[in-house]
Amino acid sequence: MKVAKFGGSSVATADQFQKVKAIIDQDPQRQLVVVSAAGKYGPATQKLTDILYLIADGIEAGRDVTQMFAQVEARLEAINHALQLHVPLIKLMNTIRHRLATHYSRDYLVSRGEFLTAQLMAAYLGYTFVDAVDLFFFDQNGAIDEAKTQAAYRQLPKHHGLVIPGFYGQNQAGHVQLMPRGGSDISGAWLARLAQADLYENWTDVSGIKMADPRIIKDADSIDVMSYDELRELTYMGFSVFQEEAVQPVRECKIPTRILNINAPQDPGTLIIHDDDPSDELRIITGIAGRKHYLVITIRQYQLALHLEVIQRALGVIAAHHLVVDYLPTGIDSFSLLIREPRHQISVRELTAAIKTACQPDKLEVTENVALIAMVSRQLRKRPAIAGKVLAYLDDNLLNVQLVSQTNDDINLLIGVNDKDYDKAVRVIYSSIHQNFHRPAPYIEGIA
């Protein structure tokens, strides 16, 4: 059993629908399909969800939204006509308008992109349409109510195949509730969990996850195999792959995920496996990710282990100003708070003054405009010399490293550089990895 989720670009046009059908027909194990709303297919088009948000804004502002509704209908009718589907879109749209006129709900309106796209896809595949409000149920905290959702899954019709719209479900009041943006990934992961699928396929418009940001490394390698632990570390540091809610349902059940390209289905993509499974032993570093604009506050206190209240007080100041400490490396007599720069909450001077008052440290040092680069791989725990060789390569290229930290699980090496050196540092690290950690000639600006 495979669960296949198709993103907005995969269902944007009739041509893309045909690609989906070819993929489904190629493998009879693809019994459960989740679809997003039709996405962009050119620079002059909009995602269906974005149009629906604009309609919601217009309704709430008392504006005429007739033309925007017509735009939604025309977009979907073009697919309906091209594929000769005969889905009653006009009737469905009229039902939506009537519902909005009598019981307006922003979540209901925005969810109609997935609802209508899934109607078309079910008709085209010859699968049964299942409305997400009849499957996904939320608890009072807005999280998936697993017991109720499991019970609903067991009641699904046992047909050849099912198509389910992503991005929404039903709240405790019986109304449509949206998931966070990108929620179709969450729907797909939960469906894979409910079905105890052998594989969760996430079809996008890229052939897997790149080893580094392609805006910095133009021809970055794709990652063949990675673990969920590695994915989480890279996502936290800026990889735009999945939200945490879209990973945890399959990770907990040890269901592998494969990222695939709708436009190049022959490409192997990226396989994400449970953290206990064997990974690609040939890959020294799985991925490189990073973020700019960090503030590093280092607090020095003699015999810190005997004065842990200093750490507590510092974190209390951070929490009081609604800031988040991303990392907290410690030493014998010091610890550092790595914080995304508080641009609006409080000035750096006010924050450090508050920490000094609360902690009374021996010394407090502040470094602004720091970019953190994370090198992530389970190989780091087996090859401790990797860190030294990368740092030496950065030094060869005259890059000033402001901090180095390795997490306790040994899969994430953090390197801090100045914001202005971020892109170059990523290129240097990527280059050093490709040289297999030999010491080649230094990287030259503009060549990578």
Side-chain angles (χ1 to χ4, degrees):
M1 172 69 76
K2 296 178 182 178
V3 171
K5 178 263 173 181
F6 294 91
S9 61
S10 302
V11 293
T13 64
D15 287 344
Q16 294 297 89
F17 266 60
Q18 290 173 336
K19 293 177 184 178
V20 170
K21 190 173 192 308
I23 288 166
I24 297 298
D25 290 347
Q26 184 267 334
D27 189 343
Q29 290 184 313
R30 294 178 176 124
Q31 294 293 300
L32 299 174
V33 176
V34 175
V35 297
S36 298
K40 292 182 66 173
Y41 60 90
T45 63
Q46 289 178 288
K47 297 177 181 178
L48 211 58
T49 300
D50 290 339
I51 300 173
L52 291 166
Y53 271 117
L54 290 174
I55 292 173
D57 291 342
I59 291 174
E60 290 162 17
R63 296 192 296 269
D64 183 7
V65 294
T66 305
Q67 286 299 110
M68 285 190 285
F69 264 122
Q71 189 178 349
V72 171
E73 189 173 315
R75 175 80 183 276
L76 294 169
E77 190 56 63
I79 297 172
N80 200 21
H81 177 74
L83 300 177
Q84 301 179 347
L85 296 180
H86 312 297
V87 173
L89 284 174
I90 295 175
K91 181 179 178 180
L92 291 171
M93 290 294 292
N94 286 337
T95 300
I96 292 168
R97 290 188 185 92
H98 176 74
R99 169 78 177 269
L100 291 170
T102 56
H103 299 90
Y104 174 76
S105 163
R106 186 181 184 89
D107 280 18
Y108 169 80
L109 170 56
V110 173
S111 72
R112 297 306 87 183
E114 276 74 14
F115 174 84
L116 294 168
T117 304
Q119 292 272 1
L120 291 170
M121 184 60 72
Y124 188 49
L125 297 179
Y127 278 18
T128 300
F129 171 84
V130 175
D131 197 344
V133 293
D134 297 323
L135 176 60
F136 296 114
F137 293 86
F138 299 102
D139 61 23
Q140 60 185 3
N141 299 315
I144 292 288
D145 184 328
E146 185 163 7
K148 197 170 182 179
T149 300
Q150 279 279 9
Y153 175 77
R154 289 192 290 269
Q155 297 301 314
L156 290 181
K158 301 296 187 260
H159 290 291
H160 170 67
L162 305 177
V163 174
I164 299 152
F167 191 35
Y168 70 94
Q170 182 181 154
N171 62 20
Q172 289 190 314
H175 303 311
V176 169
Q177 178 176 313
L178 295 179
M179 296 176 183
R181 197 72 188 260
S184 292
D185 290 331
I186 302 173
S187 303
W190 267 102
L191 186 58
R193 179 188 181 105
L194 295 169
Q196 287 298 293
D198 298 297
L199 180 67
Y200 170 43
E201 295 180 336
N202 195 300
W203 291 87
T204 67
D205 55 3
V206 294
S207 295
I209 302 170
K210 296 295 184 181
M211 186 176 169
D213 188 338
R215 293 169 298 184
I216 300 174
I217 308 295
K218 184 178 179 181
D219 298 315
D221 290 344
S222 293
I223 301 170
D224 300 321
V225 181
M226 69 191 305
S227 72
Y228 281 114
D229 266 354
E230 291 169 325
L231 175 65
R232 191 176 191 284
E233 293 284 349
L234 290 166
T235 301
Y236 190 78
M237 285 302 293
F239 260 40
S240 299
V241 183
F242 291 120
Q243 303 175 54
E244 180 65 17
E245 300 98 314
V247 172
Q248 205 60 13
V250 285
R251 176 180 180 172
E252 287 180 347
C253 295
K254 300 185 179 183
I255 298 169
T257 297
R258 191 177 287 279
I259 313 297
L260 294 159
N261 188 348
I262 184 75
N263 301 310
Q266 72 282 356
D267 291 352
T270 298
L271 180 66
I272 308 167
I273 56 177
H274 190 263
D275 311 310
D276 295 333
D277 292 341
S279 63
D280 183 359
E281 298 295 330
L282 298 177
R283 186 178 294 281
I284 295 173
I285 298 297
T286 299
I288 306 164
R291 294 181 185 274
K292 295 181 181 180
H293 311 307
Y294 272 89
L295 173 69
V296 181
I297 300 176
T298 300
I299 297 170
R300 303 193 183 278
Q301 181 70 48
Y302 180 63
Q303 292 186 324
L304 179 63
L306 301 177
H307 299 282
L308 294 180
E309 72 279 359
V310 175
I311 300 178
Q312 291 176 321
R313 291 170 186 165
L315 292 175
V317 173
I318 298 299
H321 291 93
H322 308 290
L323 301 172
V324 176
V325 175
D326 277 1
Y327 297 95
L328 202 160
T330 61
I332 298 173
D333 295 320
S334 68
F335 65 96
S336 296
L337 305 170
L338 278 58
I339 309 164
R340 294 179 203 177
E341 289 185 1
R343 296 182 178 275
H344 305 295
Q345 297 96 317
I346 187 174
S347 71
V348 173
R349 178 179 292 182
E350 290 172 326
L351 180 61
T352 53
I355 292 174
K356 281 183 179 179
T357 300
C359 300
Q360 297 295 307
D362 294 340
K363 189 176 182 181
L364 186 147
E365 301 168 352
V366 178
T367 307
E368 299 182 62
N369 303 314
V370 174
L372 292 182
I373 301 171
M375 293 169 47
V376 174
S377 174
R378 288 187 296 171
Q379 291 291 316
L380 289 171
R381 63 170 67 111
K382 303 174 186 176
R383 302 182 63 172
I386 291 174
K389 291 182 178 181
V390 169
L391 292 171
Y393 200 59
L394 289 166
D395 185 60
D396 287 346
N397 287 276
L398 306 179
L399 281 162
N400 180 29
V401 175
Q402 301 188 16
L403 66 91
V404 179
S405 176
Q406 191 158 354
T407 55
N408 290 336
D409 56 12
D410 289 332
I411 71 166
N412 185 1
L413 175 66
L414 279 180
I415 297 173
V417 298
N418 192 284
D419 275 347
K420 65 180 177 60
D421 294 329
Y422 174 72
D423 286 11
K424 180 179 178 182
V426 170
R427 293 189 185 103
V428 168
I429 292 170
Y430 185 84
S431 177
S432 72
I433 292 166
H434 267 260
Q435 295 295 335
N436 202 25
F437 294 97
H438 295 303
R439 297 286 295 279
Y443 163 86
I444 300 173
E445 183 68 48
I447 301 178

